[in-house]
């Protein structure tokens, strides 16, 4: 499995501002994913980020609100733009190992806890 | 489309009692199924996964799950609960390149 770190681990932000969350992996991976976990809820996939291509967004999520960068095989960022209190969530990145394990296994980072006031 | 349903948003057991967390899946093809655990203020940790090799899957921390095609179920069990098992548990199914998560079950363990 991969070791995944996220920065910041938590933040409190004012509405209307933007926050960029970083995800770092200790090995090269092809596929990285960004999820949102709203309070008391399950995980919802925001987008899939593959190196060298544009991120693929799920229904209900748009690039203007959640721009994603994937400059190399070990790093990705997710920006939450023009934040509102409804964006208060845990944001998690996950990776699928490049040597693909059977079952499309994903490994998760510790998450970034965001509170928007 | 694939989906999973977790029955019971909260489960409470006494320490030493059997843990049973329920998950039913809907899939048009043989599924890959997963159980993840989320401890307070942490990310998700993979407990175990089913990839069609064996119907009874053993995971970490004494957990296991059995794939039952006839019941479209993948319930998670542990013979004897420990206080440290208190957490949120998520069942998930893979759908092409994505994971689809259930709504989660919060496990409380009482002394």
């Amino acid at each position: 499995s991969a070791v995944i770190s996220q920065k910041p681990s938590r933040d409190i932000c004012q509405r209307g501002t933007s926050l960029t969350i970083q995800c770092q992996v200790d090995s090269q991976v092809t596929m990285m994913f960004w999820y949102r976990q709203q309070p008391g809820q399950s995980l919802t996939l925001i987008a899939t980020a593959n190196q060298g291509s544009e991120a693929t967004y799920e229904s209900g999520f748009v690039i203007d609100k959640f721009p994603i960068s994937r400059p190399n095989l070990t790093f990705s960022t997710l920006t939450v733009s023009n934040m509102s209190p409804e964006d208060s969530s845990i944001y998690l990145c996950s990776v699928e190992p490049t040597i693909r394990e059977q079952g499309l296994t994903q490994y998760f980072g510790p998450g970034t806890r965001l509170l928007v006031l | 489309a694939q989906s999973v349903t977790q029955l019971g948003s909260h489960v409470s057991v006494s320490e030493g009692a059997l843990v049973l967390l329920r998950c039913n899946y809907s899939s048009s093809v043989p599924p890959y199924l997963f159980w993840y655990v989320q401890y307070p203020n942490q990310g998700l940790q993979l407990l175990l996964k089913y990839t069609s090799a064996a119907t009874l899957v053993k995971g970490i921390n004494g957990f296991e799950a059995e794939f039952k095609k006839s019941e479209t179920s993948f319930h998670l069990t542990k013979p004897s609960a420990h206080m440290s098992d208190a957490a949120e548990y998520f069942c998930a199914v893979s759908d092409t390149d994505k994971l689809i998560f259930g709504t989660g079950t919060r496990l409380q363990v009482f002394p």
Side-chain angles (χ1 to χ4, degrees), chain A residues 65-85:
Chain A
K65 175 67 175 177
F66 296 101
I68 288 172
S69 78
R70 182 77 201 275
N72 57 53
L73 292 173
T74 64
F75 187 78
S76 178
T77 66
L78 169 76
T79 299
V80 186
S81 304
N82 188 24
M83 288 183 285
S84 66

Side-chain angles (χ1 to χ4, degrees), chain A:
Chain A
S1 66
V3 177
I4 305 162
S5 60
Q6 286 186 232
K7 289 182 181 178
S9 58
R10 58 181 65 240
D11 207 343
I12 301 174
C13 300
Q14 297 297 317
R15 68 175 67 205
T17 63
S18 298
L19 176 72
T20 295
I21 302 168
Q22 300 178 5
C23 180
Q24 180 76 52
V25 191
D26 69 340
S27 58
Q28 295 183 337
V29 295
T30 302
M31 300 187 72
M32 296 181 77
F33 307 85
W34 286 99
Y35 289 83
R36 181 175 73 182
Q37 185 180 21
Q38 294 178 299
Q41 307 275 328
S42 186
L43 281 78
T44 302
L45 181 64
I46 297 172
T48 302
N50 293 336
Q51 196 271 336
S53 62
E54 296 290 325
T56 302
Y57 289 83
E58 296 299 303
S59 175
F61 297 97
V62 295
I63 187 171
D64 289 346
K65 175 67 175 177
F66 296 101
I68 288 172
S69 78
R70 182 77 201 275
N72 57 53
L73 292 173
T74 64
F75 187 78
S76 178
T77 66
L78 169 76
T79 299
V80 186
S81 304
N82 188 24
M83 288 183 285
S84 66
E86 292 71 35
D87 294 318
S88 298
S89 294
I90 302 173
Y91 291 87
L92 298 112
C93 75
S94 74
V95 306
E96 191 178 307
T98 298
I99 299 176
R100 202 171 225 191
E101 297 179 19
Q102 192 175 17
L104 308 176
T105 306
Q106 292 184 24
Y107 296 94
F108 285 80
T112 294
R113 283 149 183 81
L114 172 61
L115 176 63
V116 183
L117 302 176

